[in-house]
Amino acid sequence: MTIASNLIHLQERIATVARRAGRDPESVRLVAVSKTKPAEAVEDAARAGQRLFGENYVQEFTAKAGEVREPVEWHFIGALQSNKVRQIAGLVTMIHSVDRLSLAQEIERQWAKLDTTCDVLIQVNIAGEATKSGTTAGELLTLVREVALLPHLRVRGLMTMPPFFDDPEGARPYFRELKRLAGVVAAAGIPGVVMDELSMGMSGDFEAAVEEGATLVRIGTSLFGEREYRR
Ligand SMILES: *Cc1c(COP(=O)(O)O)cnc(C)c1O
């Protein structure tokens, strides 16, 4: 299978499940997760019509972003150390993985220098897994209130990575809970905060995520094939 045919197939699956759930297929955007894949793979997907890509590792990402010759948009979706924010400033239009105030403050510093705003999602660790980043559901509102005070960040929604399940139905309660939490945040009416994006769903479970309201699905393997774990 080529990247182009995988992309067509994926877009069809996303559109089909969106329609079945009574949603406009246009309300779900595919974030093509290109971590560990070369710039050529990104360019192949871009030539097939994909514009939005997600990356996880700062060094790999900045090198790749410099090589890609097609017009693309990047989101940062991985765990992010504050001392590396400077390297991605201006290169990404959204960061999905804001999970603590210190990180948000560093994004504020770097985007202030650029005199632009950075769209961010707050990552929530719903299951409270020690191995995953994300704020807890209990601390979410406090964090959103603090981040909302930073003028160069715009909180656009929430992101989650559920625990791994062989059966994609296992992830569904976590998607449903993220949507509920977004409703709680929206109802708090925090100035400057909108909850119009829900980043949830990967190759194995994006259909359940779309049914539960995902607006950004982050898909790597089903588009680019298995990853070479070379880190
Ligand atoms: C790698 C990754 C994905 C994509 O996972 P696949 O199973 O390959 O689709 C999505 N989200 C995050 C945060 C990731 O790190």
Side-chain angles (χ1 to χ4, degrees):
M1 292 290 275
T2 65
I3 290 172
S5 65
N6 287 346
L7 180 62
I8 290 168
H9 184 63
L10 262 177
Q11 284 165 336
E12 280 172 3
R13 283 172 68 191
I14 292 169
T16 301
V17 70
R19 278 194 210 94
R20 209 170 60 209
R23 301 186 54 201
D24 178 359
E26 302 272 304
S27 67
V28 186
R29 279 192 296 163
L30 169 61
V31 182
V33 178
S34 46
K35 64 174 178 232
T36 81
K37 299 296 175 184
E40 293 75 48
V42 172
E43 291 176 331
D44 281 352
R47 280 189 289 267
Q50 179 65 26
R51 282 290 169 272
L52 179 56
F53 293 83
E55 284 279 338
N56 289 61
Y57 309 115
V58 170
Q59 251 190 325
E60 180 194 334
F61 164 54
T62 54
K64 201 179 299 182
E67 289 171 25
V68 170
R69 292 284 161 258
E70 299 289 328
V72 298
E73 176 184 352
W74 300 101
H75 284 184
F76 197 85
I77 64 169
L80 186 53
Q81 289 170 258
S82 296
N83 63 7
K84 294 193 173 164
V85 170
R86 186 173 47 81
Q87 298 177 52
I88 67 168
L91 292 180
V92 300
T93 55
M94 188 183 282
I95 298 174
H96 291 220
S97 44
V98 173
D99 61 354
R100 58 196 190 280
L101 183 60
S102 57
L103 173 59
Q105 286 167 330
E106 183 58 22
I107 296 169
E108 168 63 28
R109 260 190 292 280
Q110 298 303 330
W111 261 259
K113 285 191 217 164
L114 299 170
D115 200 21
T116 56
T117 56
C118 182
D119 283 345
V120 302
L121 306 179
I122 305 297
Q123 182 173 354
V124 190
N125 184 353
I126 294 172
E129 290 174 286
T131 54
K132 291 215 175 96
S133 20
T135 185
T136 63
E139 291 164 344
L140 173 61
L141 257 184
T142 305
L143 179 59
V144 174
R145 286 186 204 284
E146 290 167 339
V147 175
L149 297 174
L150 303 172
H152 295 88
L153 274 70
R154 202 153 61 114
V155 180
R156 297 289 309 275
L158 305 179
M159 181 272 227
T160 199
M161 283 200 36
F164 177 78
F165 296 95
D166 285 322
D167 177 359
E169 284 305 310
R172 187 183 297 274
Y174 297 90
F175 299 149
R176 203 168 278 173
E177 177 64 4
L178 194 71
K179 169 117 185 172
R180 189 190 71 80
L181 289 169
V184 170
V185 174
I190 303 161
V193 172
V194 293
M195 284 284 119
D196 55 9
E197 301 281 7
L198 284 178
S199 170
M200 56 191 196
M202 319 201 308
S203 290
D205 56 18
F206 71 86
E207 285 162 317
V210 169
E211 285 168 355
E212 299 302 331
T215 63
L216 293 162
V217 289
R218 310 178 309 267
I219 299 180
T221 311
S222 291
L223 179 59
F224 294 112
E226 292 294 330
R227 282 182 287 276
E228 312 87 49
Y229 286 93
R230 59 171 165 79
R231 270 170 58 81

